[in-house]
């Protein structure tokens, strides 16, 4: 049964349709993999295999009647802990929050449930989703399945670990500065941040998106048909679309693609990553695109301004917590946030203004190119126990310089594997498209995946079991 864990969503659904595999049988394979791998990676929160079995049995009955509920009927899905599911607390990754059950499904959860997906767990994240790490004051430390001494990144840490470990084909994360793409890059996944508003979110926050994290591009594209349905709770939700999310047609001839190897600030790009991105860019050039070097869209002033705004905003969120509650917040996060008390109102507004400057810079660049390639992450990996790639709360966002501008410009961006380091760790290529042209990013990603063949050998549980 472990072989079915390598199937894509398209293949799984074809087997359901042909009655050569049932949703219940598929779920049992996923459950066995979780049993074997979860003690090592600690990716899940509110894992409920009993309810998952009930959902899978119900889906099996629908497929046997040739009456699936939707395009994801029977497909196991996890949701990042920040995405509310009715009846489950949303701890926000921190021990400081009261565990109050959510009153309703957030938009992504509601859409998945409408289409018959088997929602089996939430996935871990760091305190308030404010770290690119698997470290949390509430959840156990989440680790990278490729190397358990390494960090999966974050803040969609558990989603990345779950996908790389083989807990089914589809995992939904959220992204405000790279939190889908960064961990996708560090774990070899395809992570897609669509145009802001394409997948409705609730609660809304400037730059915040939800996005699929999968092992192949098609799995994310199939999920987009479900996830992109509008929801009134997100005032930025885009109108209904009639996209063919599986459309592959794209002609690179005449397309101008920029290659960005300097983010403008932040951590320098390691040589192995630079080489992998340049190799990827040559593939696009060989296929007919005009490939040009482009400069950064981010500056030190922009990133520091965003830091000031986020500190002030976050301090405002937690300052009224009882002192004993605040003391439960991860010390790294609290040390970073308390500096927000010293940010004046004018400084906070000026910091927010830098998000507009990012948008302007990104728009200026895309007046000259049709797409941009860059590293997703500037470094190959870092220790599992670190709160961030610098592990320094005074330098908290040095790793997001390639990813955060596209949140603020509201443009679609994806991370896709483009190779491995000499130590066997995944390297991510970021592909960015014009605002609202989500299909262009998916098409370019599919093309690249076809050239490389994608990741062929995924991590297995470190102990021999029936799931290996």
């Amino acid at each position: 049964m472990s072989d079915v864990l390598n199937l894509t969503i398209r293949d799984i659904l074809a087997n359901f349709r042909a009655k050569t595999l049932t949703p219940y049988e598929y779920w049992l394979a996923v459950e066995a993999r979780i049993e074997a791998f979860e003690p090592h990676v600690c990716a899940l929160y509110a894992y409920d295999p009993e309810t998952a079995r009930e959902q899978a049995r119900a889906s099996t009955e629908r497929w046997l009647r040739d009456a699936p509920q939707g395009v994801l009927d029977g497909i196991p899905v996890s949701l990042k802990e920040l995405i509310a599911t009715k009846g489950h607390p949303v701890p926000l990754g921190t021990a400081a929050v009261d565990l109050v059950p959510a009153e309703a499904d957030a938009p992504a959860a509601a859409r998945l449930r409408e289409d018959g997906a088997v929602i089996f767990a939430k996935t871990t994240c760091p305190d308030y989703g404010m770290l690119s790490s698997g470290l949390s004051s509430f959840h156990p430390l989440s680790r990278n399945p490729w190397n358990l001494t390494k960090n999966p990144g974050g803040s969609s840490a558990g989603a990345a670990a779950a996908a790389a470990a083989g807990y089914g084909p589809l995992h939904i994360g959220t992204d405000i500065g790279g939190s889908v793409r960064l961990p996708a890059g560090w774990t070899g996944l395809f992570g897609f941040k669509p145009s802001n508003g394409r997948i409705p979110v609730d609660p809304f926050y400037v730059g915040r998106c939800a996005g699929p994290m999968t092992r192949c591009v098609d799995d994310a594209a199939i999920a987009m048909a479900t996830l992109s349905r509008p929801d009134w709770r997100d005032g930025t939700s885009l109108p209904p679309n009639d996209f063919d999310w599986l459309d592959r047609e794209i002609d690179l001839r005449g397309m101008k693609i920029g290659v960005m190897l300097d983010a403008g600030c932040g951590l320098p790009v390691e040589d192995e990553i630079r080489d992998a991105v340049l190799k990827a860019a040559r593939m696009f050039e060989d296929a007919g695109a005009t490939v040009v070097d482009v400069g950064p869209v981010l500056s030190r002033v922009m990133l520091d301004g965003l830091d000031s705004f986020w500190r002030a905003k976050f301090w405002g969120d937690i300052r009224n917590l009882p002192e004993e509650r605040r003391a439960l917040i991860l010390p790294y996060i609290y040390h970073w946030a308390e500096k927000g008390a010293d940010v004046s109102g004018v400084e906070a507004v000026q910091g927010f203004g830098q998000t507009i400057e990012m948008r302007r810079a990104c728009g200026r660049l895309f007046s000259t190119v049709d797409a941009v390639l860059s590293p997703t992450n500037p470094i190959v990996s870092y220790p599992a126990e670190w709160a961030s790639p610098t592990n320094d709360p005074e330098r908290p966002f040095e790793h997001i310089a390639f990813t955060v501008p596209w949140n603020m410009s509201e443009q679609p961006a994806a991370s896709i594997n483009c190779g491995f380091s000499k130590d066997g760790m995944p390297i991510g290529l970021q592909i960015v498209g014009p605002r609202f042209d989500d299909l262009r990013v998916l098409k370019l990603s599919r093309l690249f995946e076809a050239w490389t063949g994608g990741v062929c050998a995924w991590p297995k549980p470190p102990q021999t079991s029936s799931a290996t």
Side-chain angles (χ1 to χ4, degrees), residues 45 81 87-102 138 325:
Y45 164 68
E81 184 246 274
H88 296 111
V90 184
L92 304 177
T94 181
V97 169
D98 289 327
L99 298 180
V100 179
F138 179 82
R325 282 283 177 184

Side-chain angles (χ1 to χ4, degrees), residues 116-337:
V118 175
I119 300 176
F120 65 91
K122 311 296 283 294
T123 50
T124 63
C125 68
D127 290 53
Y128 298 95
M130 290 304 297
L131 295 178
S132 192
S133 175
L135 186 63
S136 161
S137 66
F138 179 82
H139 300 293
L141 175 65
S142 298
R143 296 177 179 272
N144 193 323
W146 291 94
N147 182 334
L148 296 175
T149 71
K150 300 299 183 182
N151 210 297
S155 61
S156 303
Y167 297 4
L170 179 59
H171 306 269
I172 312 302
T174 61
D175 189 316
I176 196 172
S179 289
V180 162
R181 289 157 291 156
L182 294 166
W186 278 312
T187 56
L189 303 173
F190 180 71
F192 183 48
K193 182 206 83 68
S195 298
N196 293 41
R198 183 71 68 199
I199 297 176
V201 295
D202 180 41
F204 169 80
Y205 188 75
V206 175
R208 185 173 187 241
C209 301
M213 302 173 72
T214 60
R215 287 183 169 188
C216 70
V217 179
D218 261 11
D219 283 356
I222 289 170
M224 285 301 297
T226 295
L227 296 168
S228 64
R229 293 201 294 269
D231 192 296
W232 67 267
R233 290 173 289 177
D234 183 348
T236 70
S237 179
L238 297 179
N241 64 73
D242 58 357
F243 301 158
D244 177 1
W245 287 100
L246 297 177
D247 183 5
R248 298 169 177 267
E249 293 300 317
I250 188 167
D251 188 352
L252 294 185
R253 292 172 298 179
M255 184 174 289
K256 190 175 182 181
I257 299 178
V259 179
M260 182 186 296
L261 295 171
D262 175 8
C265 57
L267 294 172
V269 176
E270 292 179 347
D271 289 343
E272 288 182 286
I273 294 175
R274 179 183 297 271
D275 291 346
V277 170
L278 285 173
K279 181 179 178 181
R282 285 192 291 272
M283 293 183 185
F284 285 94
E285 190 170 43
D286 291 344
T290 299
V291 176
V292 298
D293 294 330
V294 297
V297 291
L298 194 68
S299 70
R300 185 82 256 168
V301 171
M302 292 176 187
L303 189 59
D304 288 348
L306 183 65
D307 184 11
S308 293
F309 169 65
W310 277 348
R311 286 186 201 236
K313 168 67 168 63
F314 187 60
W315 179 250
D317 291 340
I318 67 171
R319 66 177 178 172
N320 291 327
L321 286 175
E323 186 174 346
E324 63 273 16
R325 282 283 177 184
R326 278 192 271 135
L328 298 175
I329 297 172
L330 194 74
Y332 180 105
I333 288 285
Y334 189 77
H335 178 80
W336 167 78

